[in-house]
Amino acid sequence: MSEAKRLAAEKAMDHVEDGMVVGVGTGSTVAYFIDALGRDPTRIKGAVSSSEQSTARLKAHGIEVLDLNHTGPLSLYVDGADECDPRRHLIKGGGAALTREKIIAEASERFVCIIDASKQVEVLGRFPLPVEVIPMARSLVARQITTMTGGQPVFRMQAGDKAVITDNGNVILDIHHLSITDPKALEMAINQIPGVVSVGLFARRPADVVIVGGEPPQVP
Ligand code: 5RP
């Protein structure tokens, strides 16, 4: 499995051009991509990072981490996904970095998604859908999503019975038992609930290119 992730990350290097500022996602597949960038850290101008975790890895390789407010629009964003459907719609946020990932994807001209074959599905929803929520709105959002979707929201916890707190200081609800036949509509509907920071559906802004480790790239 991790060999397929590594192969996908290596293939994404074909999209990296000299002097670029590269948007960088989060997760184990992206870690391989950061390591590949790190083989020649001065080849790119720098990176915009989607998480503290990726920032630490980029810096460890000597890659400058830049502020999106200063870079302006990006040419390239490379990130993994938890699920990917045939239209390149994604579920993301397994690593709790969905909000910054979504911001960078929106700011980027080309979103290259790197996955292994286990992430490919016909219909999104087998992977619980992450939703980042302002802490005081947790129960309200959970109730509204249950009514709206019939799914089952689960408050994401970590070892020691502590809530997972995002890099933005918020909490995560993972919505189980969904079958997402209209991802754009669900993305927009969940976004409307007060207290929702972002939902880990990338349908309104899908990936442009999907690289499945060990398989030819999928483009429109
Ligand atoms: C983090 C993400 C990741 O891209 C997603 O969870 C996939 O992770 P991995 O590459 O470790 O399988 O959305 O928020």
Side-chain angles (χ1 to χ4, degrees), residues 7-17 20 22-26 29-30 33 74-81 84 88 90 92 101 104-106 108-115 202 205-213 217-220:
L7 286 171
E10 290 291 340
K11 193 75 191 149
M13 289 299 289
D14 293 351
H15 294 265
V16 176
E17 291 169 19
M20 251 184 176
V22 181
V24 174
T26 297
T29 318
V30 165
F33 177 68
L74 306 180
S75 309
L76 176 66
Y77 178 50
V78 177
D79 198 356
C84 176
R88 290 167 281 105
L90 312 172
K92 292 185 45 54
E101 291 172 341
I104 305 176
E106 186 73 20
S108 300
E109 196 180 318
R110 185 187 303 167
F111 175 4
V112 174
C113 181
I114 50 177
I115 55 173
F202 286 56
R205 200 283 179 246
D208 300 302
V209 177
V210 175
I211 300 175
V212 184
Q218 296 172 9
V219 288

Side-chain angles (χ1 to χ4, degrees), residues 2-206:
S2 60
E3 179 57 7
K5 290 183 175 186
R6 192 188 65 76
L7 286 171
E10 290 291 340
K11 193 75 191 149
M13 289 299 289
D14 293 351
H15 294 265
V16 176
E17 291 169 19
D18 294 354
M20 251 184 176
V21 176
V22 181
V24 174
T26 297
S28 57
T29 318
V30 165
Y32 287 115
F33 177 68
I34 296 173
D35 293 349
L37 287 174
R39 287 198 294 264
D40 185 359
T42 56
R43 191 183 151 208
I44 59 168
K45 189 170 168 196
V48 173
S49 172
S50 61
S51 64
E52 301 303 326
Q53 184 192 101
S54 289
T55 296
R57 200 172 188 103
L58 286 159
K59 286 185 173 169
H61 280 293
I63 297 168
E64 195 174 352
V65 176
L66 303 168
D67 183 334
L68 184 65
N69 291 305
H70 299 153
T71 61
L74 306 180
S75 309
L76 176 66
Y77 178 50
V78 177
D79 198 356
D82 299 299
E83 277 188 353
C84 176
D85 80 7
R87 288 185 293 166
R88 290 167 281 105
H89 297 151
L90 312 172
I91 287 183
K92 292 185 45 54
L98 60 156
T99 299
R100 295 188 190 188
E101 291 172 341
K102 219 166 197 185
I103 293 167
I104 305 176
E106 186 73 20
S108 300
E109 196 180 318
R110 185 187 303 167
F111 175 4
V112 174
C113 181
I114 50 177
I115 55 173
D116 63 64
S118 72
K119 309 289 183 67
Q120 292 178 295
V121 297
E122 279 304 312
V123 178
L124 299 172
R126 191 180 58 201
F127 189 92
L129 176 64
V131 182
E132 181 168 354
V133 177
I134 300 284
M136 73 169 286
R138 187 187 85 219
S139 300
L140 168 81
V141 172
R143 284 194 299 274
Q144 294 210 3
I145 287 180
T146 303
T147 306
M148 179 190 292
T149 66
Q152 188 195 353
V154 175
F155 185 25
R156 193 183 295 183
M157 306 294 282
Q158 57 186 327
D161 222 18
K162 283 164 54 180
V164 168
I165 303 295
T166 69
D167 288 346
N168 312 308
N170 300 312
V171 297
I172 300 278
L173 293 172
D174 292 305
I175 318 303
H176 293 246
H177 310 306
L178 294 176
S179 175
I180 305 172
T181 49
D182 189 346
K184 272 189 200 156
L186 185 62
E187 180 178 3
M188 288 192 283
I190 293 178
N191 272 332
Q192 296 304 317
I193 303 172
V196 168
V197 177
S198 62
V199 52
L201 266 174
F202 286 56
R204 205 183 52 77
R205 200 283 179 246

